[in-house]
Amino acid sequence: MMSLTHAAIAVSTVSLSLGTADGLVLATALIGSQLPDLDSTESFVGRALFPVARWLEAHYPHRSVTHSFVATAGLALCASPLVGVHWHYWVALVVGHFTGWFADAFTKSGVACFFPATARMVIPGNPRARLRSQSPGEYWVLAIACLLAIVSINLTSAGGVSEQFGRAFFQDSATAAQVFHKYGSTQQVRVQVEGMKVATAEQVVGVFT
């Protein structure tokens, strides 16, 4: 798969799973998604870290050691100090790496995910349904991943799916109070009121800040 496809899948997966639109967290996921291709000097990350890529390329077949559960576990262990910064960064890097190589299981050559075993996992069983790099099928995957990422980031930035659902379908006092408690201390809140005072039966209509 193309580097861009790996990046889009990783970003959308991390944004959806963590419910985050944090640019640094999503950038960490993007970096993680590129690391499996460190076993090729022709890849973007392989050119950036050429000495490491050249050594891996000389000693291991493509999509073997770096495209495996062992590699993801090793990265998770080495990256554990990120938990001290924020656990979202650690999860983003690990999930980004996992999706980066797991997506290649849907291509014709598959991945040696159980390295050091040489058997390759290839999904699906029908060879004609497997993806080829830069094929129409991959561009569809890229488009869907980008769409999911955009939707997730926009919803998360606006308060999340549950909040948007509540605003759209439950426009009552409870929803208004919940939104006010969440944002009232950090943002200026304008409220349009149409109702009546219980004690005096006086009608209340207006916008209050």
Side-chain angles (χ1 to χ4, degrees):
M1 282 188 176
M2 298 181 296
S3 296
L4 184 60
T5 306
H6 286 307
I9 292 173
V11 169
S12 60
T13 301
V14 168
S15 180
L16 287 166
S17 59
L18 293 181
T20 183
D22 188 307
L24 291 177
V25 172
L26 298 182
T28 304
L30 187 154
I31 292 170
S33 72
Q34 305 304 302
L35 294 179
D37 283 334
L38 190 56
D39 62 352
S40 171
T41 54
E42 295 181 1
S43 67
F44 176 79
V45 68
R47 291 193 297 269
L49 301 172
F50 185 78
V52 178
R54 183 172 58 182
W55 186 89
L56 287 170
E57 194 175 58
H59 290 81
Y60 300 99
H62 184 42
R63 294 180 179 173
S64 59
V65 61
T66 59
H67 290 64
S68 66
F69 290 107
V70 169
T72 299
L75 178 65
L77 183 62
C78 293
S80 57
L82 285 175
V83 176
V85 180
H86 197 295
W87 65 273
H88 275 191
Y89 293 107
W90 180 80
V91 171
L93 188 66
V94 174
V95 171
H97 182 270
F98 172 75
T99 59
W101 67 256
F102 185 73
D104 282 332
F106 293 84
T107 62
K108 293 185 177 295
S109 59
V111 294
C113 63
F114 297 108
F115 183 87
T118 57
R120 290 190 170 237
M121 178 173 66
V122 187
I123 306 171
N126 182 358
R128 294 184 177 181
R130 297 168 191 164
L131 295 174
R132 289 181 294 104
S133 181
Q134 299 183 37
S135 65
E138 180 175 0
Y139 282 111
W140 272 107
V141 172
L142 174 60
I144 293 170
C146 287
L147 178 62
L148 288 174
I150 292 170
V151 170
S152 177
I153 291 170
N154 276 277
L155 285 175
T156 303
S157 300
V161 175
S162 59
E163 183 174 311
Q164 295 306 304
F165 184 83
R167 288 182 179 181
F169 297 102
F170 299 100
Q171 298 179 3
D172 54 14
S173 58
T175 303
Q178 181 182 4
V179 172
F180 178 78
H181 285 303
K182 184 174 182 179
Y183 299 111
S185 61
T186 58
Q187 299 184 28
Q188 186 178 48
V189 179
R190 299 181 66 197
V191 181
Q192 182 175 347
V193 178
E194 294 182 11
M196 182 179 296
K197 291 184 179 180
V198 176
T200 63
E202 179 184 355
Q203 188 176 14
V204 179
V205 177
V207 177
F208 300 88
T209 300

